[in-house]
Amino acid sequence: MTVSFVLLALLTLSAAVAAMSMPRLIHCALALAVAFTGLGGIFLNLGAEFVGLAQLLVYVGAVAILIVFAILLTRGSEVSMRPGARSAISGTVIALAVFAVLAHAVLTSGVSRMATTAVTPSNRVQEIGVTLLQQYVLPLEVIALLLTAALIGAVILAWREKSPAAQEGAETR
Amino acid sequence: MSGKSMMEESAIGLDEQMGATYGAGRHTLKPDAEHESQILEVAIGPQHPSTHGVFRMDVQLDGERVVRLKPVFGYLHRNHEKIAENAAYLAAIPYTDRLDYLCSMTNNWGYVLAVEKLVGIAVPERTEYIRVIMAELTRFQNHSALVGFLLQDMGASGTPLMYAFREREKILDLFEAVSGARMMCNYLRFGGVRVDCTPEWLEETRQLVGRLPRFVDEFERLLRGNEILMARTQGVGVLPRELAVSAGVTGPMLRASGVNYDIRKVDRYGIYDRFKFRVPLGEHGDVYDRYMMRVLEMRESIAILEQALKEIPDGPVQDPKTKVRGLRPKVGEAYGRIESPKGELGFYLISDGTMNPYRYRVRPPCLINLTILEDMCLGLSVADVVVTLGSVDIVMGEVDR
Amino acid sequence: MNPLSACLIVAAFLFCVGLAGALSRSSAILVLAGIELMLGAANLNFIAFWRYGALAAVSPFHSLTGIVFVLFSIGVAAAEAAVGLALILAIYRYTKSCNVTQITELKG
Amino acid sequence: MNGYFAMATGLAERVDQIFVTFDHWAVTNTPEPLRWLVSILLIVVPILAVFPGLFALTTVLERKGLGRIQNRYGPNRVGPYGLLQPIADAVKSLTKEDVVPRTADGVVHYLAPLVIVSTAFLAYAVLPVGRNMIAVHLDAGLLFFFAIGSATELAVFMAGWSSRNKYSLLGAMRAIAQMISYEVPLILSSIAVIMIAGTLSPEKIVLEQAQYTGIFPHWYVFTPWGFAGFLLFMTAAAAETNRSPFDLPEGESEIIAGYFVEYSGFKFALFFLAEYLEIFAVSGLGITLFLGGWSAPLSFLAVIPSWIWFFAKLLVMIGVFIWVRGTMPRLRMDQLMNFAWKFMLPMALIDMVCAGVWRFLPGGALWVVLRWLICAAIIVVPYVALARGLEQGRKIEQRVYRYAEEG
């Protein structure tokens, strides 16, 4: 456990807390982007270079932007969180309980006494590619199919049915 | 204020101001009711790089699509008409310079023509030629500047504008040489012009006019086949023929919509019936047609200039018996109009027999061409609105007066 | 506490933050964001076990399983975010709200 | 004679590696506890010095170049030929008042320029500017580049949203839509290179290209897929960096300055700096991927140091960008999007297919020409078909005008 890991973990966790608790949605989205960046940093810190960069590319470059866009497109629906709301309190309590259970499990299980390897296992990009395309080629294809389906599904869902006025506007172009 | 009432208000306000009714072809674009909350109101201007002065468009956008556009002007209003009603007839000429400050020569001519009609002054032959030369030079430099500005509005980072200004500068140099001022020329007088042109000036003008076709060719080579230019302008900001006529649009804008109406041909004022020139007509009435009208008219201007410079006779430029100062026209009224580079520029004068006009009224082509802006822009994107506005060719000095 | 359990604790906390957000916030977008955080926490677990776990030392054949799983998980999360946000947009268009407490009807 | 030649190449080699040698010398001659600091400084300081310096030079070059294109002089008052203009500009932007709108979101408004500049600088970490001259040896260097680049979008959004200005919000929306759309062809066109080179490391990609057949180099741009990929990449790069004719997010004639309209003084300068840094970085990547990076265009020209070649190529690219800016009007948003999704994306995919075919066709003596022709056909046929198809729906033409009849 290095200093850099602690710093990154603190950054990630505080950004995550901020993302879930700030009153303005846009601030939440930006904090979420920071949390994702921190998570990518942790991956890099643990030696998983490719995954960390993929995390940055996908989460910061795509998911965070998508969320920001969604917030902008649903403007006017911004509901500020009332701190005393019942759901907020009960949600936090439940989450804390879950955390207590998880932490207890982690600290009492054999994992925390297990000897860990100091060297990072080899994970060259080429090896990842070969593994993906040989051992895991079926899951890869399934993921590709899923992403395509998601793309088409998202487009169909977000399709705005054109009103006659909008069509007229499109024709005057 | 709900959007609908605001739009109606603006339309009524304009109607009253113009005294024009234009019901035909008017189409309104309502925002989809379900997206009302997403409408973004943006004030384009008065401080905006491409509103050609202090002009404001209150635009309501759905995304980038314009659903409502309200032109707001008056920032440059300076009481031109009232001042002229309180000044002697002669003293109003410098004020006309400031109307469309790119085209002071034609402004002068419009006013001078109205006064000449009112009083009944004859104009010497040589003066008529000089006026035609000045007017066509003015038209050329106005159109070339407009094309430059239009491309600038399209985001061409100044290159076409600088090309246009290079030629415009030379014409302004000529104006300076003959009148002492580059833009506020104050050159025409009732029944004549202020000073005669020297033979050297005429020779210089001949040389310049000889070079102008090459400039137009170069300009066209630079732009005409440009795919982005065509994609940005064709089918954009269409002005239907009927709407153009009923709204009183004049000038190259009207002709781009396919209406054959050029006051030089209709009225044959001055000596325009002596020259051979053609009137280009557009078909689609979109921005591209308006742009090409200007380019083609530049060529026709060159043709007129060549003829006028060849035929210009010697002689006096002013009948010495004509009274210029202390003019007291008989009671009556007159309307003088010319084809200014932007359209029909008219001056309406009522004389009550005193030193200054009882009523002095300008019919500004820019303002009237601007009134149909919303009709052209609905459903377009912001980028197209800017280009459409650019193609109208406005000068705020004339819009606001 | 060894590095592995430190990672696991961090991941557990991250998961719970996401859980708390998903349970307590009323904006559907933030619920989705909370779920994304929970997925991220799971990914952190995978990476931690890949890095410190027993498999890495034992069998080089399996050494990339954790990484590959995370890659798949990121792909799934991206798909989930896209579809989820499109759903939210569609619902917003219909109900004018993203508030999960107000979306009580299934009828569309 | 041979001795001289050997000496000359040895000298060239030494000049080529002068910075690497210096770096090595400096690190080894520092006491152990400070070594990490020195080695980091030796990475960070040159990047922080060279590229902003290039930015200063480029601002003058751009204004001078545009001036020449437009029949005017450009800056010529400060220093000889106006070369000191950037210093005057820097002083001006540093001393200008920093105006923050009252309704702006202070923290986000403040952070946006910092984020955008720091991400722009980070991208240089994986750019090989010369032989052995790369800041960070990353196996997944290209992925790093694109991952860092994607953070720019967020910064742009921050700037646009936090200003609370309608123009900047419009600009930010335009910018994000445009950047996301053009990131796809940008990445896809570089995937062709990754497929051929078999690596994500920019260093190795350059090394692959720094070989010569006779005197001619193995640059990827000299292959059909590489040529198409290069054009696609640079077009997408122009759009990514908001350069003309894709400068819609800041199109000053429409939305004034787009997302940074509410920035002034030094923050504005930072946006300006970031924009140019991105241009350099993405041009540098284009050079690395397709134009052989730091390798010399002809084998005997390798006596000139590799870093000179890199920067010479970079300057040429900048010159092309300036030239395009002086020539082209701006596209409209829907045209821009159509171009990205209907033309660039299919072409990038076809380019990938072509690269795959190229990879698996045999490379025998006869095959060299045949392979070239087959791959060229794979690119050209769909290109013509696509262009025809896109042409069909549009009514864009050069028009012939009629004149009114006399009468």
Side-chain angles (χ1 to χ4, degrees), chain B residues 41 50 64 157 159 234 289, chain D residues 70 166 174 253 326 397 401:
Chain B
E41 264 194 78
S50 39
E64 282 214 22
S157 83
T159 309
Q234 296 195 351
D289 273 0
Chain D
Q70 300 170 358
K166 286 160 184 171
R174 277 181 173 194
S253 63
E397 58 193 351
Y401 287 88

Side-chain angles (χ1 to χ4, degrees), chain D residues 180-204:
Chain D
I180 288 185
S181 306
Y182 278 88
E183 205 164 77
V184 178
L186 188 79
I187 295 181
L188 284 183
S189 57
S190 47
I191 282 183
V193 173
I194 297 168
M195 282 162 65
I196 297 293
T199 174
L200 275 172
S201 153
E203 290 172 281
K204 290 188 188 136

Side-chain angles (χ1 to χ4, degrees), chain B residues 49-71:
Chain B
S50 39
T51 52
H52 299 252
V54 278
F55 175 56
R56 190 172 107 214
M57 293 180 279
D58 281 346
V59 183
Q60 299 200 7
L61 300 172
D62 175 18
E64 282 214 22
R65 199 169 59 97
V66 175
V67 290
R68 214 166 286 151
L69 186 147
K70 184 181 166 199

Side-chain angles (χ1 to χ4, degrees), chain B residues 300-362:
Chain B
E300 299 307 317
S301 287
I302 295 172
I304 298 174
L305 278 169
E306 278 166 351
Q307 296 168 46
L309 286 164
K310 199 156 64 191
E311 295 163 10
I312 182 167
D314 281 332
V317 290
Q318 182 100 38
D319 187 350
K321 277 177 280 179
T322 308
K323 197 174 178 197
V324 173
R325 267 164 219 285
L327 204 61
R328 274 176 199 276
K330 284 198 284 292
V331 176
E333 58 185 322
Y335 179 65
R337 60 175 190 174
I338 59 156
E339 178 77 17
S340 96
K342 295 180 169 69
E344 174 181 339
L345 173 67
F347 287 84
Y348 176 59
L349 298 170
I350 301 180
S351 166
D352 55 1
T354 55
M355 291 280 283
N356 38 16
Y358 171 75
R359 181 75 177 103
Y360 170 103
R361 160 92 179 134
V362 185

Side-chain angles (χ1 to χ4, degrees), chain B residues 41 43-44 48-50 64 153-159 162-163 166 224-228 230-232 234 236 260 265 277-281 284 286 288-289 292-293 296 381 383-384 386, chain D residues 66 69-72 166-167 169-170 174 244-245 247-248 252-256 325-335 391 394-407:
Chain B
E41 264 194 78
I44 300 186
H48 187 283
S50 39
E64 282 214 22
D153 288 344
M154 235 174 273
S157 83
T159 309
M162 287 297 161
Y163 271 61
R166 183 183 53 182
R224 193 169 184 181
N226 190 315
E227 186 121 350
I228 298 180
M230 289 195 282
R232 280 297 303 277
Q234 296 195 351
V236 169
N260 177 17
K265 291 277 189 197
F277 66 98
R278 299 174 298 173
V279 180
L281 293 178
H284 307 263
D286 54 9
Y288 187 76
D289 273 0
M292 282 308 292
M293 283 310 107
L296 296 174
S381 68
D384 287 340
V386 165
Chain D
L66 277 183
I69 290 172
Q70 300 170 358
N71 297 313
R72 55 192 178 84
K166 286 160 184 171
Y167 287 115
L169 194 62
L170 272 178
R174 277 181 173 194
S244 172
D247 55 346
L248 290 97
E252 60 274 359
S253 63
E254 297 157 20
I255 50 174
I256 309 179
R325 181 176 168 195
T327 322
M328 295 275 193
R330 190 183 301 125
L331 283 169
R332 200 172 56 207
M333 202 63 205
D334 54 326
Q335 294 164 347
E391 200 79 6
R394 299 187 314 172
K395 288 168 286 185
I396 285 171
E397 58 193 351
Q398 289 203 27
R399 294 177 185 162
V400 181
Y401 287 88
R402 65 197 168 93
Y403 291 88
E405 296 94 38
E406 291 292 318

Side-chain angles (χ1 to χ4, degrees), chain D residues 28-344:
Chain D
T28 46
N29 280 306
T30 333
E32 180 63 38
L34 285 178
R35 261 185 205 174
W36 62 274
L37 184 67
V38 171
S39 64
I40 286 178
L41 279 182
L42 282 173
I43 288 169
V44 173
V45 172
I47 289 180
L48 287 185
V50 170
F51 288 98
L54 194 61
F55 159 67
L57 181 67
T58 307
T59 52
V60 186
L61 276 185
E62 172 145 32
R63 290 165 70 178
K64 284 258 185 220
L66 277 183
R68 283 289 142 199
I69 290 172
Q70 300 170 358
N71 297 313
R72 55 192 178 84
Y73 287 111
N76 62 353
R77 295 285 135 180
V78 193
Y81 304 104
L83 282 176
L84 298 181
Q85 186 69 35
I87 296 173
D89 288 346
V91 170
K92 177 194 163 206
S93 66
L94 274 170
T95 52
K96 249 182 124 163
E97 185 188 357
D98 178 31
V99 183
V100 180
R102 191 153 34 124
T103 50
D105 192 313
V107 180
V108 181
H109 190 266
Y110 184 81
L111 281 179
L114 297 182
V115 173
I116 202 166
V117 165
S118 46
T119 50
F121 270 120
L122 275 177
Y124 290 101
V126 291
L127 218 53
V129 296
R131 198 191 296 271
N132 302 329
M133 285 164 72
I134 185 166
V136 182
H137 300 270
L138 265 186
D139 198 25
L142 277 181
L143 198 61
F144 175 83
F145 191 94
F146 293 127
I148 288 300
S150 65
T152 316
E153 288 152 31
L154 219 51
V156 164
F157 170 77
M158 284 162 71
W161 177 78
S162 66
S163 304
R164 292 292 155 77
N165 179 312
K166 286 160 184 171
Y167 287 115
S168 44
L169 194 62
L170 272 178
M173 297 288 261
R174 277 181 173 194
I176 296 175
Q178 173 177 338
M179 283 169 146
I180 288 185
S181 306
Y182 278 88
E183 205 164 77
V184 178
L186 188 79
I187 295 181
L188 284 183
S189 57
S190 47
I191 282 183
V193 173
I194 297 168
M195 282 162 65
I196 297 293
T199 174
L200 275 172
S201 153
E203 290 172 281
K204 290 188 188 136
I205 290 172
V206 176
L207 281 176
E208 285 280 319
Q209 299 178 70
Q211 298 159 6
Y212 299 90
T213 308
I215 56 167
F216 299 109
H218 288 186
W219 293 0
Y220 289 143
V221 74
F222 297 132
T223 58
W225 60 269
F227 185 68
F230 178 63
L231 293 183
L232 287 171
F233 185 91
M234 288 324 291
T235 313
E240 272 293 286
T241 52
N242 307 333
R243 283 295 293 195
S244 172
F246 305 110
D247 55 346
L248 290 97
E250 55 213 55
E252 60 274 359
S253 63
E254 297 157 20
I255 50 174
I256 309 179
Y259 53 88
F260 53 84
V261 70
E262 289 291 2
Y263 282 90
S264 57
F266 192 59
K267 286 186 200 158
F268 177 82
L270 283 185
F271 272 106
F272 216 61
L273 172 69
E275 194 160 290
Y276 277 85
L277 286 180
E278 276 162 26
I279 293 167
F280 302 154
V282 82
S283 307
L285 192 69
I287 291 167
T288 305
L289 290 179
F290 298 99
L291 294 182
W294 41 257
S295 67
L298 296 168
S299 65
F300 53 84
L301 289 175
V303 288
I304 299 172
S306 53
W307 34 274
I308 288 187
W309 279 120
F310 180 84
F311 283 101
K313 287 174 190 174
L314 195 55
L315 278 177
V316 171
M317 302 288 266
I318 293 167
V320 173
F321 273 126
I322 294 172
W323 181 20
V324 170
R325 181 176 168 195
T327 322
M328 295 275 193
R330 190 183 301 125
L331 283 169
R332 200 172 56 207
M333 202 63 205
D334 54 326
Q335 294 164 347
L336 186 87
M337 288 295 154
N338 281 345
F339 187 61
W341 293 105
K342 292 186 184 160
F343 179 77
M344 300 278 287

